[in-house]
Amino acid sequence: MQEQYQDPLIEEALRWFGVLKDPKASDDDRRAFSHWLKEKPEHEAAWRQAQRVWMRVGKIGPAFANTPPATVVIPTPPPIVVKRPPHLRADPALRPVALRRPPPRRRGLLIGAVAAVCVAAPTGALLWRPGLLADHATAVGERGSVTLADGSGIELAGASSISVDFAGSLRRVVLREGEAFFRVATDADRPFVVEAEGVRIRALGTAFDVKLGNGNVSIAVSEETVEVTVEGHPSVVVGSGQQVRAGSGFVGDVREADLAMVEAWRQDRLAFRETPLGDVIADLQRYRVGRIVLTEARLGDIPVSAAFEASQADAAIDALASTLPIRARRFTPLLVVLSPRH
């Protein structure tokens, strides 16, 4: 019963995030929020809980804790494009967009600007995005490709980024956020290594998919083999048609992969089978500007089996709410709250 009472308060607190970050927010809005916050002790508790809920999306993280709502920066959403979902198989007419690498001078200015912020506000919080200083990145809802100097090709899913270091005898790529598909050019003298969240994937002349999600790394191999290593654990070899999940301090069991499902994003589709809702939301988040938050962490464990068109993230949210014991509420175009259906 207590949970039912607190849930609307948390949703109301989350609504205040959207109100206060609206460029049209007035002094009256801010005074109203201040009055609401002080009106009842439960409101302040709900505000603190709402901060924790908001941070679960992982994009803002600790930068939002203990800071006033006016410090949150939310981008303007692009128009939502709704199309008839294509079949899961590859569309030969579909070609990824080419990524543009920022010129060295611009990247240098960006580094300087970030450093200046850190010096100017040593006790403040910086809203950090992993792809900020990456060599190649895609925006939310964008899919892109890049050809490396050795001829290897990389496809990036939405809101994904990589850094590339080909200095010396090692070809090294760091996946900083999101998901990428690698098709590696053979070079026996220079190993090709992908690093992500403490996981090292050594390619043995192969094609494979790497995905970051909730602190874990998922690797699925389409051709030949890769060697996956986590410090302190024995390396495992993942062959064609297999996948493994690894992360800081663990390497999971190698198992059979449904490659059509894993690589569905390359045809602008998202497919799931018995996937925790938290992971599904993390994927949808890369194709929708704004935030999708769960009011309770336990909701993230609900299994989901479904397929969606990537451009229809909002329709996917509605479908989830109609079939799972959850409800979806939109407080602003940028904020969707998922809570238990009581």
Side-chain angles (χ1 to χ4, degrees):
M1 193 69 183
Q2 182 181 15
E3 184 178 276
Q4 293 181 5
Y5 171 70
Q6 289 181 341
D7 183 61
L9 284 181
I10 295 172
E11 292 184 353
E12 188 173 0
L14 286 166
R15 181 180 64 83
W16 278 112
F17 282 115
V19 170
L20 294 173
K21 289 318 302 167
D22 189 327
K24 297 180 180 179
S26 64
D27 290 339
D28 288 340
D29 291 327
R30 285 181 277 274
R31 281 192 292 268
F33 166 72
S34 180
H35 174 75
W36 175 85
L37 191 64
K38 297 175 182 178
E39 188 177 23
K40 296 179 181 179
E42 291 90 344
H43 289 182
E44 184 173 352
W47 177 255
R48 293 183 182 278
Q49 177 62 19
Q51 287 180 310
R52 291 191 288 270
V53 169
W54 189 275
M55 284 190 291
R56 283 188 196 130
V57 299
K59 297 293 185 181
I60 296 177
F64 201 31
N66 302 318
T67 59
T71 60
V72 182
V73 179
I74 302 177
T76 302
I80 297 174
V81 180
V82 178
K83 301 183 295 182
R84 182 176 182 271
H87 191 272
L88 190 59
R89 63 190 178 191
D91 179 357
L94 180 65
R95 294 187 300 172
V97 298
L99 300 178
R100 295 186 298 274
R101 180 169 180 162
R105 183 174 183 275
R106 179 172 177 79
R107 294 180 69 220
L109 290 173
L110 185 57
I111 293 171
V114 172
V117 171
C118 294
V119 171
T123 60
L126 177 64
L127 295 181
W128 179 260
R129 181 178 174 85
L132 186 62
L133 302 179
D135 292 315
H136 305 282
T138 52
V140 171
E142 178 186 31
R143 182 161 60 86
S145 65
V146 60
T147 301
L148 303 181
D150 67 336
S152 296
I154 303 175
E155 292 181 45
L156 293 179
S160 301
S161 62
I162 58 170
S163 294
V164 179
D165 181 7
F166 273 21
S169 59
L170 184 69
R171 297 175 290 169
R172 178 173 175 265
V173 176
V174 178
L175 178 63
R176 297 190 174 277
E177 60 179 340
E179 185 170 8
F181 180 83
F182 298 84
R183 188 171 294 280
V184 179
T186 302
D187 186 341
D189 297 326
R190 291 199 304 164
F192 191 102
V193 171
V194 177
E195 296 178 1
E197 296 288 349
V199 178
R200 190 174 188 267
I201 304 115
R202 183 173 181 267
L204 306 175
T206 186
F208 59 99
D209 185 278
V210 181
K211 175 182 176 181
L212 291 175
N214 295 326
N216 297 328
V217 182
S218 298
I219 304 102
V221 180
S222 300
E223 299 175 12
E224 300 190 35
T225 58
V226 301
E227 182 184 55
V228 178
T229 304
V230 174
E231 186 175 359
H233 294 266
S235 298
V236 299
V237 175
V238 186
S240 177
Q242 295 181 325
Q243 63 183 8
V244 71
R245 177 169 290 194
S248 179
F250 83 95
V251 179
D253 295 330
V254 176
R255 56 191 179 88
E256 184 179 355
D258 185 336
L259 295 179
M261 185 167 294
V262 170
E263 299 176 19
W265 66 267
R266 298 176 63 200
Q267 287 83 50
D268 296 317
R269 295 275 284 166
L270 299 175
F272 310 98
R273 179 181 296 143
E274 295 296 310
T275 304
L277 178 60
D279 292 345
V280 174
I281 294 303
D283 276 1
L284 290 174
Q285 190 72 71
R286 298 206 309 271
Y287 294 90
R288 184 187 187 278
V289 174
R291 295 292 175 261
I292 308 168
V293 296
L294 302 174
T295 59
E296 298 182 21
R298 66 182 177 88
L299 298 179
D301 296 329
I302 298 175
V304 175
S305 295
F308 308 109
E309 187 178 2
S311 65
Q312 291 187 328
D314 277 274
I317 293 170
D318 292 337
L320 291 171
S322 68
T323 56
L324 301 177
I326 62 174
R327 62 172 177 167
R329 301 184 67 185
R330 291 171 172 81
F331 293 101
T332 76
L334 299 179
L335 175 60
V336 178
V337 177
L338 303 182
S339 57
R341 186 191 301 159
H342 296 298

